[in-house]
Amino acid sequence: MENQVETKKILLVNQLKELETISQYLEELAGGWDLSVPFTMKLTLALEEAFTNIVNYGFQDDESHEIALVFEKQNNRLFISLIDDGIPYDPTLTTDPDINLSAEERKIGGLGIFLIRKMMDKVSYQRIGKNNVLKMEKTITPN
Amino acid sequence: MKLNFSEVNNFKVIEIIGRIDSITAPDFENGVMKFMSDGVTKLIFDCSKLDYVSSSGLRVFLMAQKKLSTNKGMLKVCCLQPAIKEIFDISGFSQIFAIEDTIESASRN
């Protein structure tokens, strides 16, 4: 049982309607891997933000592209990779919004990647060949 | 996602039901902005039935706040579920918005 690794993978196309697929998939995953409702919501949010960015900004042609989500559970640690063949883009390089500004001063937008960082323990990016690989990690907790 | 519009103590109320994600956020934005175009100055977002919100929805909350601040209006956000409140806290939105626990307290001027 020590260091047992379980892997699940889902392939999606670059359309926002796939967010529903992701949400349903995560609910099934939560059942199988015994993930709590609040924990699953955090995963859903992080994945929505990352996936939406890829769909909205990743592709300059009108072709259909495949986006892979890979989930890996290693004891109480969860690793998620998003793999797409869009233009090179490292979201980890963006600066966080200043959350202490007033409503008047706050810019509309720019929260997506910030939320990913906050929802997950660790986020890293690699360009591997013609793919963007965004990796996220989170220790499985009850909330 | 579904929006219900009503009025309590001179406050216009938008009840948000369901999920605001990148798919439903455009409908949320249109609904809110259309409702506000009638010169609304006192507005409450009733979030008791809001189950999920991503950055695409948060930006609409901020747009409404900016619009009302410009018109010297007042925006209250009420009845956030704990998971949604956490997202508001993390985003710094709990400091930006007047957050109330009930519709009654939110509509008390």
Side-chain angles (χ1 to χ4, degrees):
Chain A
M1 290 298 282
E2 281 290 298
N3 286 322
Q4 192 184 353
V5 181
E6 290 176 74
T7 306
K8 304 246 181 199
K9 183 176 176 178
I10 180 171
L11 295 176
L12 306 161
V13 292
N14 57 322
Q15 289 180 22
L16 284 185
K17 66 170 192 210
E18 293 279 47
L19 289 173
E20 283 166 26
T21 319
I22 294 176
S23 168
Q24 280 169 16
Y25 188 81
L26 282 175
E27 267 176 43
E28 285 168 31
L29 199 71
W33 285 357
D34 205 17
L35 308 175
S36 74
V37 171
F39 184 85
T40 307
M41 201 193 83
K42 292 188 172 90
L43 295 187
T44 307
L45 182 55
L47 279 174
E48 177 189 330
E49 301 295 351
F51 186 83
T52 302
N53 264 339
I54 296 169
V55 171
N56 286 344
Y57 308 112
F59 306 101
Q60 292 171 322
D61 56 35
D62 296 326
E63 308 289 312
S64 180
H65 292 264
E66 204 168 68
I67 300 168
L69 301 190
V70 183
F71 299 83
E72 219 177 82
K73 184 175 168 292
Q74 210 171 327
N75 299 321
N76 70 336
R77 198 99 182 124
L78 187 68
F79 300 84
I80 307 175
S81 301
L82 285 97
I83 305 157
D84 69 86
D85 65 350
I87 54 171
Y89 174 62
D90 181 355
T92 65
L93 295 177
T94 58
T95 48
D96 287 341
D98 184 347
I99 59 164
N100 295 311
L101 295 177
S102 68
E104 293 72 31
E105 296 165 313
R106 281 288 288 262
K107 276 198 296 183
I108 288 174
L111 264 177
I113 287 152
F114 176 73
L115 285 177
I116 298 174
R117 282 203 188 101
K118 290 292 182 182
M119 293 298 126
M120 307 303 290
D121 298 341
K122 196 177 161 192
V123 182
S124 63
Y125 169 85
Q126 268 187 299
R127 181 78 181 177
I128 302 176
K130 58 180 180 58
N131 289 323
N132 294 304
V133 182
L134 187 66
K135 284 193 174 166
M136 315 195 266
E137 293 180 38
K138 192 172 176 66
T139 298
I140 298 168
T141 55
N143 48 31
Chain B
M1 196 250 351
K2 193 170 166 279
L3 300 177
N4 283 334
F5 303 96
S6 61
E7 195 169 336
V8 179
N9 292 344
N10 291 324
F11 275 87
K12 301 279 185 185
V13 181
I14 303 180
E15 184 191 26
I16 312 163
I17 301 166
R19 300 166 60 86
I20 311 176
D21 57 18
S22 311
I23 301 173
T24 57
D27 288 341
F28 177 49
E29 180 177 341
N30 289 339
V32 170
M33 290 305 148
K34 206 167 162 189
F35 188 62
M36 287 180 70
S37 65
D38 291 340
V40 171
T41 53
K42 293 165 98 176
L43 180 66
I44 298 172
F45 281 115
D46 175 358
C47 300
S48 53
K49 291 172 188 153
L50 174 63
D51 299 320
Y52 174 88
V53 65
S54 69
S55 67
S56 55
L58 290 176
R59 64 183 284 282
V60 180
F61 280 89
L62 186 58
M63 285 166 72
Q65 176 70 280
K66 280 176 183 280
K67 200 170 164 141
L68 279 173
S69 311
T70 314
N71 301 337
K72 304 235 181 306
M74 191 186 290
L75 176 64
K76 305 268 185 91
V77 177
C78 104
C79 322
L80 292 167
Q81 294 178 23
I84 309 295
K85 174 70 166 59
E86 198 181 336
I87 297 171
F88 269 66
D89 287 344
I90 287 169
S91 315
F93 275 35
S94 299
Q95 292 145 263
I96 292 180
F97 296 98
I99 295 180
E100 302 281 350
D101 291 334
T102 62
I103 279 278
E104 289 72 33
S105 59
S107 58
R108 218 177 288 141
N109 200 15

